[in-house]
Amino acid sequence: MINKNPIKLIILFLFAANIMAQTSDVIVDLGFDKITAAEFKFRFETSPYIQTSKNIDSLKNEFLLTLIGEKLLANRARQSGFDKNDYVSYSAQIMEKYLIRDYIYKTEILDKISISDSSYRSGLYKSTRIYTVNFLHSFVKYEIDSLYNLLQSGADFDSLLQTRNERFEQEELIEVVYGQMTEELENIIFNLELSEYSKPSLTEKGWLIFYAKNIRKDFDEKVVSKRAKETLENRAVIEKQNEFYKIFIKGKTIDVDTKLFVEIVNHLHSIIQDKEIPEDGKTRLDYYDFRKVMREMGENKLKSPFVKFEIDPISLEYFLNDLGFNQLELAKTDSISVTNILSNYIRNFIQSEIIARIGYQRNIQQLPSIKNELKLWENYFSYSLYRNSFIDSVKISEQEIQREMEIADKFLNPKEVRIIEILTKNLESVEKILNKLEAGEDFEQLAQEYNERESTIPSGGAYDWFPITSHGEIGRIASTMNLGDVYGPINLSEGFSIIKLIDERESKDALAIDVETKKELTREKLFYSKLKEKLEDKTVTEALNTNMQINMDVLNSIKVTEVPAMVYRFYGFGGSTSAAPYLAPFYQWYQKYLKEIDAL
């Protein structure tokens, strides 16, 4: 919970596969799969969890049982053919390409970076100097030369600047730190001494003359060294990346089906018109939106080639699944803006696909590290789809609702709570929100800005009083919280939820709730209870059909970070996901399993 122990945000750029691939003792052997100490530690430390009064050993035990549950149901899903489902198949392909590109980025870009001693010394020197500058600007060489001649003749720079329109851009001091500007401009500025001006230089912004108004030294050696190292490395990465693009990307032209492109734009524009614009003004299109586009376009078009590679063209269906996996965010929603955003997405998609195909030619997909990490995601995709398949099997009769209502009337009603929720559909927003909460920003203000749940947008994310037995996982978690606590993210079908408990009370008399509302609350409670029971029973059945071995000594020996963490992974050449699949707590099945074992 934020106010007890903040969820830390960690950005993992690369090398998750290396962590997973470490040789490690086995905690759980299921016969068909194992959970190693390395996998457990990685999954535990990259998953957010609620900070309660439970000790770390209890949290480790519960998380291990959740992992076992995932693997048991994922195995059943594969045996039932769920891994052949389009959602699982396409999602796995997209993840595999992420991992392949990431590996190429490491081997072709990062591993080939070399910074000379002289470059480092130069960077270190520049990093110690912080410039305050002014500038003269013109798009015309004749004009800038005239200004330079005036300076050479003894004209005062400040006086000359006051006659120019660009002075309005410099009413606040312009401070230049190493790494902040392009290397081209830095080379001009960092060669100036105090009160010295530069020769006219042609840049992408026109002709410029810089003036060193002030120079101060940064004496923090750690900051200076870090700034120099990061700047040099970032520039070396860009240079290597440009070399890579020149060899493998430049000059390649891949066409798309323009008719299908126009149809996609029209369908997206239609969907956008039905959406309410969030407070931040950015409209987000998620997987369910693109599933709707797929249904509307029909099977024949979905199988048509859309991105026309000469060999193995990309079908429209694959492309739309890729869009759904990555999601789209639009600041403007007119048809021209949608067209431009989709065009940019396609351009990046083609570039990414070319790089992935280089990886397939090199058989990178066969590397053990790639296979191991992909298996983790394939398990999760199959597990998620299999869990969702139980939803349609949960049937609630009117007689069950009536019986449950009669029973409830004989006892005290459950506690009621009021919460404020921020629901968002992408991980990037979750990261921003948690960062801002950790920095002390007001939850209510953030809810007004980021909440995307249409039913609570008018109330700024606030719910009216509801019993903790309703709203599924939200109600269950709210029942464990103290006033003022913040918890999240909760992984829901509609997105990621972060909630704050703002009030609680003993339930009012049952008569205060109208019958229809009470029926709906009861139906919802029964639904989640039955769904949970079905999933637990199925997990127990799967566990009984394996010779499951758990080594508690190995689990107890694992030292883990005790700070809840929300960890993201940013892949080489673009793209991001959570560092590992997020799992909601699912450990209650184990007590049922032990009872079944005792009865044998």
Side-chain angles (χ1 to χ4, degrees):
M1 295 184 187
I2 294 292
N3 61 336
K4 289 184 177 179
N5 197 348
I7 293 175
K8 298 293 183 184
L9 289 155
I10 301 171
I11 308 300
L12 183 69
F13 284 90
L14 295 164
F15 319 133
N18 293 345
I19 298 169
M20 295 274 295
Q22 295 170 3
T23 56
S24 179
D25 294 329
V26 173
I27 308 174
V28 181
D29 190 339
L30 296 170
F32 62 86
D33 203 354
K34 294 179 174 65
I35 299 175
T36 65
E39 179 184 351
F40 175 85
K41 182 177 174 68
F42 174 69
R43 294 289 296 270
F44 184 88
E45 293 187 337
T46 56
S47 299
Y49 59 87
I50 190 167
Q51 192 79 3
T52 66
S53 57
K54 294 177 182 178
N55 61 37
I56 196 68
D57 289 331
S58 296
L59 292 171
K60 284 166 61 180
N61 290 343
E62 290 174 1
F63 190 77
L64 179 64
L65 295 174
T66 298
L67 271 183
I68 294 171
E70 178 201 40
K71 290 185 181 290
L72 288 169
L73 294 184
N75 184 56
R76 168 47 53 196
R78 283 191 297 274
Q79 292 176 354
S80 302
F82 279 76
D83 57 329
K84 304 297 189 294
N85 176 275
D86 283 347
Y87 162 76
V88 176
S89 177
Y90 283 128
S91 297
Q93 286 179 58
I94 293 164
M95 273 307 306
E96 184 176 61
K97 289 176 181 180
Y98 268 155
L99 298 171
I100 288 171
R101 288 192 294 269
D102 197 54
Y103 183 86
I104 293 175
Y105 189 80
K106 179 181 182 299
T107 55
E108 292 287 341
I109 308 297
L110 297 185
D111 288 354
K112 293 183 178 181
I113 288 173
S114 177
I115 299 170
S116 67
D117 290 341
S118 61
S119 294
Y120 180 69
R121 285 194 298 271
S122 173
L124 203 59
Y125 171 75
K126 291 176 181 176
S127 189
T128 63
R129 295 161 73 87
I130 300 174
Y131 278 75
T132 302
V133 299
N134 288 124
F135 64 86
L136 298 172
H137 171 263
S138 177
F139 289 108
V140 181
K141 186 177 187 306
Y142 173 79
E143 184 181 20
I144 203 76
D145 285 342
S146 297
L147 293 170
Y148 183 71
N149 288 334
L150 288 171
L151 291 170
Q152 288 285 78
S153 300
D156 179 67
F157 190 97
D158 286 335
S159 299
L160 196 55
L161 178 61
Q162 292 308 307
T163 68
R164 308 280 304 170
N165 287 333
E166 58 262 34
R167 72 181 185 277
F168 298 114
E169 301 174 45
Q170 304 172 62
E171 290 178 345
E172 293 185 9
L173 295 176
I174 301 172
E175 202 167 70
V176 179
V177 178
Y178 181 56
Q180 176 185 334
M181 304 182 81
T182 66
E183 194 168 2
E184 174 193 20
L185 294 180
E186 276 182 0
N187 286 336
I188 299 169
I189 294 169
F190 281 84
N191 282 320
L192 296 174
E193 296 300 331
L194 184 62
S195 301
E196 189 178 7
Y197 52 85
S198 69
K199 292 180 179 180
S201 299
L202 180 61
T203 71
E204 60 181 18
K205 296 182 179 181
W207 290 93
L208 291 168
I209 297 173
F210 287 100
Y211 175 70
K213 194 175 187 67
N214 187 38
I215 304 172
R216 63 183 177 89
K217 296 287 186 71
D218 190 336
F219 294 102
D220 190 325
E221 291 184 7
K222 286 185 178 179
V223 171
V224 166
S225 177
K226 182 182 178 184
R227 186 188 297 139
K229 187 172 183 292
E230 288 181 351
T231 299
L232 290 166
E233 287 178 350
N234 288 340
R235 287 175 176 172
V237 164
I238 292 170
E239 185 179 349
K240 286 294 178 188
Q241 204 163 307
N242 288 338
E243 290 175 9
F244 181 88
Y245 288 149
K246 191 177 292 185
I247 295 169
F248 295 104
I249 307 293
K250 190 176 180 181
K252 287 185 169 63
T253 301
I254 311 294
D255 294 325
V256 299
D257 189 308
T258 52
K259 288 184 178 178
L260 291 176
F261 174 84
V262 171
E263 281 196 55
I264 297 171
V265 170
N266 291 337
H267 282 291
L268 292 181
H269 192 250
S270 175
I271 289 172
I272 289 167
Q273 300 314 303
D274 294 333
K275 285 180 172 283
E276 289 191 24
I277 299 175
E279 288 281 332
D280 64 0
K282 295 178 180 177
T283 301
R284 294 170 182 88
L285 298 174
D286 60 20
Y287 176 77
Y288 299 100
D289 293 318
F290 291 105
R291 289 297 302 174
K292 184 178 180 181
V293 174
M294 286 186 246
R295 288 194 299 271
E296 290 174 349
M297 295 193 76
E299 192 69 22
N300 289 337
K301 288 180 181 175
L302 290 178
K303 299 303 179 187
S304 302
F306 177 61
V307 182
K308 298 182 177 181
F309 283 91
E310 191 172 335
I311 300 172
D312 295 329
I314 301 293
S315 71
L316 177 63
E317 185 173 25
Y318 180 91
F319 176 74
L320 290 173
N321 272 280
D322 186 88
L323 268 170
F325 188 92
N326 291 297
Q327 306 185 1
L328 273 186
E329 187 175 271
L330 303 97
K332 296 180 179 179
T333 56
D334 59 278
S335 59
I336 293 175
S337 297
V338 174
T339 300
N340 290 337
I341 289 168
L342 190 60
S343 296
N344 288 333
Y345 188 94
I346 290 172
R347 191 179 301 111
N348 292 329
F349 173 86
I350 291 171
Q351 179 176 290
S352 297
E353 183 66 22
I354 291 171
I355 296 170
R357 291 184 180 210
I358 293 167
Y360 284 118
Q361 289 169 5
R362 299 177 183 180
N363 280 324
I364 290 172
Q365 74 276 14
Q366 299 299 335
L367 292 173
S369 61
I370 303 293
K371 284 186 169 183
N372 288 340
E373 194 169 359
L374 181 60
K375 181 182 175 184
L376 181 152
W377 286 98
E378 286 175 328
N379 269 350
Y380 174 72
F381 296 140
S382 297
Y383 163 75
S384 299
L385 189 65
Y386 187 66
R387 277 179 63 106
N388 290 342
S389 73
F390 280 79
I391 291 174
D392 291 338
S393 69
V394 177
K395 308 295 182 187
I396 311 294
S397 68
E398 290 297 320
Q399 291 82 359
E400 287 177 297
I401 294 172
Q402 192 61 41
R403 186 164 57 249
E404 183 70 20
M405 289 170 64
E406 289 170 0
I407 293 171
D409 283 343
K410 295 178 183 179
F411 300 95
L412 288 174
N413 289 319
K415 181 173 73 173
E416 293 181 335
V417 294
R418 286 181 64 227
I419 64 167
I420 297 175
E421 178 196 34
I422 304 173
L423 179 76
T424 181
K425 295 181 179 178
N426 65 79
L427 285 168
E428 287 77 8
S429 292
V430 171
E431 179 185 357
K432 289 178 186 175
I433 294 160
L434 294 180
N435 263 329
K436 290 185 176 185
L437 286 172
E438 193 171 346
E441 293 198 26
D442 184 66
F443 191 96
E444 287 81 353
Q445 290 295 323
L446 293 175
Q448 289 182 5
E449 182 178 353
Y450 287 99
N451 177 45
E452 297 177 39
R453 190 182 293 281
E454 292 186 5
S455 61
T456 62
I457 285 175
S459 63
Y463 282 57
D464 202 353
W465 290 102
F466 67 89
I468 55 175
T469 51
S470 66
H471 295 301
E473 191 73 359
I474 289 176
R476 185 189 69 76
I477 289 173
S479 71
T480 69
M481 297 168 65
N482 297 318
L483 281 179
D485 281 347
V486 172
Y487 178 74
I490 307 166
N491 195 2
L492 306 174
S493 61
E494 59 267 38
F496 299 95
S497 175
I498 303 169
I499 61 174
K500 179 179 181 179
L501 182 64
I502 58 172
D503 210 348
E504 61 183 353
R505 70 184 183 190
E506 294 301 319
S507 181
K508 293 183 176 180
D509 191 320
L511 294 175
I513 305 175
D514 68 83
V515 175
E516 286 306 312
T517 300
K518 194 172 180 183
K519 280 182 69 174
E520 283 308 306
L521 292 174
T522 304
R523 186 190 303 277
E524 188 175 10
K525 175 187 172 184
L526 284 170
F527 173 82
Y528 282 105
S529 176
K530 279 193 171 187
L531 179 60
K532 179 172 174 286
E533 186 177 357
K534 279 177 174 284
L535 289 168
E536 288 175 357
D537 289 346
K538 190 61 183 175
T539 307
V540 170
T541 300
E542 295 303 312
L544 291 171
N545 289 333
T546 67
N547 183 24
M548 181 169 60
Q549 303 293 321
I550 302 177
N551 190 331
M552 292 303 296
D553 289 337
V554 175
L555 178 66
N556 293 333
S557 70
I558 300 172
K559 304 297 181 187
V560 294
T561 303
E562 296 189 31
V563 177
M566 185 73 187
V567 187
Y568 297 95
R569 180 171 178 191
F570 287 79
Y571 298 88
F573 295 113
S576 65
T577 64
S578 55
Y582 172 75
L583 294 176
F586 180 62
Y587 53 85
Q588 295 90 342
W589 64 269
Y590 190 65
Q591 291 305 315
K592 293 184 180 180
Y593 168 77
L594 292 179
K595 288 179 182 178
E596 292 290 336
I597 291 292
D598 290 341
L600 293 177

